[in-house]
Amino acid sequence: MPFDYAAFARPAARALPTYNAGLSSVLVHERYGVQHVARLASNENPWGASPAVTRALAAASTRVGDYPDAQASALRQQLAQDLGIDAQQLCFGNGSEDLIKCLCEVFLSPGDTVLTQKPTFGLHQIYPEMMGAQVQLLDLIPDLQMDVHAWCDALARVPKLAFLPNPSNPVGCMFDDAAMQRIVAATSEQTLLVVDEAYVEYARCTPGYPDTLALLQQRRGPWMVLRTFSKAWGLAGLRVGYGIAGDAVLTGWLDKVRTPFNVNSLAQAAALAAWQDTAHMQQCVEKTVALREALRAQLLALAAPGQPLAGLRIAPSATNFLFLDLGRPSATVAEALLRQGVIVKPWKEAGYTHCLRVSIGTEADNTRLVQALVQAMQTVEDAT
């Protein structure tokens, strides 16, 4: 008789879903026999990292027999200097999701309340529930924006921890400076406010995006801002995230639960090299934002009455992706896209299963997406 792992597991772990990490290019190539795969599901930088990263990796590769610097000292000092903060306010993780997990492991117990946005970045919900916490999800308003009134009302009920994604992943919408000021003011000193700014480099191109660090530095309660090298900096494969805390005491608590060498030496070297080539990152961001708006215009033209994508809605985006409301189940459309070699992310969360998240790729891949989406929607229509 097989071992009963379900009975053996902690109750809080039994109902946890598995995070949807998406499909690899290799798998799609092998399964569907397509020659070219457009990776438009994981919000990667299609132009990759700075050339300086390749040189840094080559130099660091001679030291892979040594354990990495557990404090990421060189990266820490550079970021602290450039951000104008104390170096001990920084913490680093194997991607920013590593820090989300650490925050939950340190501060959450069964019955605690965590507040976050719906549709959600899965780990803002999975990791709290892993610890037995109760997660309150706030819905979008009808125009696919986050609801500042609902956030302020929910924060007034003093959740223990709040994960506020700004901009939202998967939607792309954002709270502007005025809204963020209201949210910070509404947050109790007994709530740990965590603002997830994984897409901050793109969001800064949108007028009104807040200087979150400046706002939070006026706050008396605990806070942390999460950022990553995975998106605009092009280091998704190396996994480097960082957190900026309101004080060094908070980062000290995370040190109690994080693995001591959670950012490997190659990742540290690459992140430092990428950070020192801001011009490359900014060029990538500017190209992406321009291509995002061009793709939005193409899709909206095809969404007009009588056009192939009639009825399609697109959420406002301050990121490197678009969130599409297809008005029909998205999983079948996503499958039809895979058969054409286009990987997107159908949303599986209740209430949003008619939506797709589409990363901005190169101009050629975006053109392929539009053509493939028109064909996929027609294929689904014909089948029904």
Side-chain angles (χ1 to χ4, degrees), residues 344-368:
V344 298
K345 195 160 190 176
W347 219 251
K348 299 180 179 181
E349 198 169 351
Y352 295 93
T353 55
H354 48 294
C355 297
L356 286 178
R357 192 189 68 189
V358 177
S359 307
I360 306 304
T362 63
E363 185 173 8
D365 280 346
N366 294 345
T367 298
R368 280 192 73 207

Side-chain angles (χ1 to χ4, degrees), residues 203-281:
R204 286 177 179 147
C205 297
T206 301
Y209 189 74
D211 183 342
T212 305
L213 286 180
L215 288 176
L216 289 173
Q217 283 165 359
Q218 309 304 313
R219 170 173 155 75
R220 295 184 63 183
W223 58 267
M224 178 171 282
V225 174
L226 298 176
R227 293 178 181 172
T228 183
F229 282 90
S230 294
K231 309 304 180 186
W233 301 95
L235 299 183
L238 287 172
R239 316 305 307 120
V240 190
Y242 63 101
I244 307 161
D247 54 53
V249 177
L250 176 52
T251 59
W253 278 99
L254 268 62
D255 282 343
K256 291 178 179 291
V257 298
R258 73 174 177 89
T259 57
F261 305 109
N262 62 333
V263 182
N264 70 71
S265 54
L266 294 179
Q268 291 183 37
L272 181 57
W275 183 267
Q276 292 172 335
D277 189 359
T278 306
H280 174 84
M281 179 276 292

Side-chain angles (χ1 to χ4, degrees), residues 52-356:
V53 168
T54 302
R55 296 190 292 272
L57 288 172
S61 67
T62 63
R63 303 187 299 275
V64 295
D66 301 335
Y67 281 102
D69 177 357
Q71 296 301 314
S73 302
L75 183 60
R76 178 185 301 274
Q77 292 301 326
Q78 186 70 66
L79 265 64
Q81 175 183 311
D82 295 343
L83 294 170
I85 59 174
D86 187 284
Q88 296 311 306
Q89 287 179 260
L90 286 163
C91 52
F92 296 91
N94 184 38
S96 56
E97 67 266 29
D98 188 22
L99 300 176
I100 295 170
K101 187 178 183 185
C102 288
L103 286 164
C104 294
E105 288 173 335
V106 171
F107 296 112
L108 295 180
S109 299
D112 286 337
T113 299
V114 174
L115 181 67
T116 195
Q117 180 66 47
K118 183 180 181 182
T120 183
F121 171 55
L123 299 179
H124 287 169
Q125 181 175 4
I126 291 172
Y127 283 153
E129 290 181 345
M130 174 186 74
M131 302 308 298
Q134 306 297 312
V135 179
Q136 180 184 359
L137 298 168
L138 298 180
D139 269 309
L140 300 171
I141 55 180
D143 64 354
L144 302 178
Q145 297 266 19
M146 293 185 289
D147 188 341
V148 65
H149 304 290
W151 267 93
C152 290
D153 288 346
L155 286 164
R157 294 190 285 274
V158 195
K160 188 166 188 181
L161 194 154
F163 285 117
L164 172 58
N166 198 42
S168 160
N169 175 20
V171 182
C173 56
M174 72 175 209
F175 281 136
D176 64 13
D177 185 72
M180 187 61 75
Q181 288 188 48
R182 290 181 57 189
I183 286 168
V184 172
T187 306
S188 164
E189 293 180 21
Q190 302 306 310
T191 295
L192 172 53
L193 178 60
V194 180
V195 182
D196 193 332
E197 288 195 317
Y199 300 90
V200 62
E201 292 85 5
Y202 301 99
R204 286 177 179 147
C205 297
T206 301
Y209 189 74
D211 183 342
T212 305
L213 286 180
L215 288 176
L216 289 173
Q217 283 165 359
Q218 309 304 313
R219 170 173 155 75
R220 295 184 63 183
W223 58 267
M224 178 171 282
V225 174
L226 298 176
R227 293 178 181 172
T228 183
F229 282 90
S230 294
K231 309 304 180 186
W233 301 95
L235 299 183
L238 287 172
R239 316 305 307 120
V240 190
Y242 63 101
I244 307 161
D247 54 53
V249 177
L250 176 52
T251 59
W253 278 99
L254 268 62
D255 282 343
K256 291 178 179 291
V257 298
R258 73 174 177 89
T259 57
F261 305 109
N262 62 333
V263 182
N264 70 71
S265 54
L266 294 179
Q268 291 183 37
L272 181 57
W275 183 267
Q276 292 172 335
D277 189 359
T278 306
H280 174 84
M281 179 276 292
Q282 196 58 49
Q283 289 169 5
C284 292
V285 166
E286 289 170 1
K287 286 191 289 187
T288 298
V289 169
L291 287 169
R292 182 191 72 205
E293 293 309 302
L295 178 59
R296 175 193 291 277
Q298 284 182 279
L299 291 172
L300 286 176
L302 291 168
Q307 294 299 310
L309 303 181
L312 174 79
R313 292 200 305 153
I314 306 176
S317 179
T319 63
N320 65 338
F321 58 83
L322 293 174
F323 194 63
L324 312 181
D325 181 351
L326 304 178
R328 56 182 56 76
S330 62
T332 52
V333 176
E335 177 67 21
L337 288 171
L338 285 173
R339 296 182 184 282
Q340 300 178 70
V342 177
I343 310 175
V344 298
K345 195 160 190 176
W347 219 251
K348 299 180 179 181
E349 198 169 351
Y352 295 93
T353 55
H354 48 294
C355 297
L356 286 178

